Amino acid sequence: VQLQASGGGLVQAGGSLRLSCAASGLTFEYYTMGWFRQAPGKEREFVAAIRDNAYYADSVKGRFTISRDNAKNTVYLQVNSLKPEDTAIYYCAADVSLSKVTGTGRPTYWGQGTLVTVSS
């Protein structure tokens, strides 16, 4: 299984980015896909996940939107109204178990991460 994340970059506060994660080596439609992030000096945290429904961390609700295209084996994260505290490496992840992506478990598969830097 490979998860290839892309779309990160440097953006000013209030700006937007669209992150993508292309998956291969798995039956994509059967998997819950998620995004996590890790800021400098902090632990990795859940951001959003999607199976049949979408799930969000409170800190990003109303600003971030997760979506998936099963035909392209790709999950997206549209990040709007970015804040300096959103600066982090963003990782995509996959697991057949919804709870491992949205709960306290750890997803089985991880991508390499894409860096989002938000300047004030």
Side-chain angles (χ1 to χ4, degrees), residues 46-110:
F46 169 77
V47 174
I50 187 166
R51 182 72 176 258
D52 298 317
N53 299 308
Y55 305 84
Y56 298 95
D58 288 342
S59 59
V60 307
K61 279 181 182 176
R63 300 189 299 122
F64 291 11
T65 302
I66 189 170
S67 61
R68 64 190 294 162
D69 186 336
N70 288 344
K72 294 183 178 180
N73 285 9
T74 301
V75 60
Y76 305 97
L77 186 68
Q78 179 68 40
V79 296
N80 298 328
S81 303
L82 283 163
K83 305 175 182 179
E85 53 263 41
D86 294 317
T87 294
I89 299 174
Y90 284 71
Y91 298 90
C92 62
D95 201 287
V96 291
S97 168
L98 175 64
S99 63
K100 282 191 176 181
V101 182
T102 62
T104 58
R106 178 177 171 86
T108 300
Y109 303 110
W110 292 87

Side-chain angles (χ1 to χ4, degrees), residues 6 18-19 25-26 31 40-41 50 75 79 84 114:
S6 61
R18 189 193 195 201
L19 309 184
L26 51 75
Y31 280 75
I50 187 166
V75 60
V79 296
T114 185

Side-chain angles (χ1 to χ4, degrees), residues 32-56:
T32 298
M33 301 300 296
W35 288 95
F36 292 73
R37 67 185 181 186
Q38 187 166 18
K42 296 187 177 181
E43 293 187 352
R44 191 174 299 186
E45 64 176 1
F46 169 77
V47 174
I50 187 166
R51 182 72 176 258
D52 298 317
N53 299 308
Y55 305 84
Y56 298 95

